[in-house]
Amino acid sequence: MDFLKYYFEQHLTLSKDSFKLLCNCIEKVELKSNTLIMEEGKPHPYIYIIRKGIVRGFTLNDNGIEDTKSFWIENETFGDVKSYIANLPVSKSYLALENMIVYRVDKLKLRELFYLNVELANLGRLIIEDFVFRSDIRQQILIEPKPIEKYLKFCKLRKGVHTRVQLKYVASFLQITPETLSRIRSSF
């Protein structure tokens, strides 16, 4: 529970009562590497807080090729915003790239708490704002005109991710070929 307290207090200091209420809708889960956590097009009742590990969000294009859309690391929340807000099926799949420890949050119970507790509603708003900000990182990177600039910006904005995941996933995220990424990396 110390990790959760630390995580939440980065956003908002909670009263003991609010923290207890929140913990009632959270469950600690260990996931093996290559576990498919959410599958594109299917409903999913949880959002997650990462204590340890890394997750890749991806979609399949019309040719069945994976397109990496996001990476989520320690001390971040991941889930599908559209699914959370409108209770729709998730818009991308999420795969554990390492053995993970996550805290799984029941979306329905969480939303009920937001109606009952203003302090928790404010916390939820702050976490969603942070999530939306982090979700926009790919767009910030892709506006760079040159592949090397995309890669350098990725390394700056997602520190350490490039050393923890397969290069094909980074290349997909940057919308460049693995060969181009390999040439860029060999120039350093």
Side-chain angles (χ1 to χ4, degrees):
M1 291 301 167
D2 287 340
F3 170 79
L4 286 177
K5 189 166 183 58
Y6 165 77
Y7 173 79
F8 293 128
E9 288 191 350
Q10 291 177 86
H11 302 284
L12 182 70
T13 301
L14 294 173
S15 68
K16 287 181 182 181
D17 290 341
S18 292
F19 182 69
K20 272 187 189 175
L21 283 172
L22 188 54
C23 287
N24 288 332
C25 66
I26 299 174
E27 172 185 16
K28 183 178 175 182
V29 178
E30 294 186 20
L31 303 170
K32 297 285 184 200
S33 181
N34 291 315
T35 299
L36 187 62
I37 302 165
M38 292 184 220
E39 188 174 353
E40 181 179 4
K42 303 225 171 141
H44 195 79
Y46 305 105
I47 56 175
Y48 298 85
I49 302 165
I50 303 172
R51 179 172 185 168
K52 178 181 171 281
I54 187 166
V55 171
R56 178 175 72 103
F58 66 96
T59 59
L60 293 176
N61 69 19
D62 294 337
N63 298 324
I65 297 171
E66 294 179 358
D67 180 14
T68 300
K69 301 289 188 182
S70 59
F71 296 103
W72 301 98
I73 59 174
E74 290 84 1
N75 210 30
E76 293 180 347
T77 300
F78 76 94
D80 192 275
V81 172
K82 291 177 188 170
S83 174
Y84 172 76
I85 292 170
N87 208 27
L88 296 170
V90 296
S91 59
K92 56 185 165 258
S93 295
Y94 292 87
L95 181 74
L97 297 180
E98 299 174 344
N99 290 336
M100 300 188 66
I101 299 172
V102 297
Y103 290 90
R104 184 169 67 186
V105 184
D106 184 297
K107 291 188 304 191
L108 292 177
K109 289 180 183 176
L110 185 63
R111 290 182 82 134
E112 288 173 13
L113 287 178
F114 291 165
Y115 287 114
L116 300 173
N117 185 304
V118 173
E119 188 177 22
L120 292 177
N122 285 330
L123 174 67
R125 178 185 50 80
L126 293 169
I127 290 172
I128 288 290
E129 287 173 2
D130 182 62
F131 176 85
V132 169
F133 174 79
R134 290 179 192 276
S135 296
D136 189 48
I137 286 175
R138 187 175 193 220
Q139 296 310 313
Q140 294 175 41
I141 291 168
L142 292 180
I143 63 169
E144 297 297 336
K146 296 181 180 176
I148 192 166
E149 293 169 352
K150 290 178 185 181
Y151 179 69
L152 292 173
K153 194 164 198 175
F154 173 76
C155 292
K156 179 182 174 187
L157 294 176
R158 299 305 287 157
K159 289 182 176 35
V161 170
H162 67 287
T163 64
R164 295 171 65 185
V165 303
Q166 293 180 37
L167 291 183
K168 68 179 183 178
Y169 297 147
V170 176
S172 173
F173 182 84
L174 298 175
Q175 295 184 340
I176 61 177
T177 66
E179 295 78 17
T180 298
L181 180 57
S182 183
R183 280 193 298 275
I184 290 168
R185 288 174 50 90
S186 69
S187 69
F188 290 101

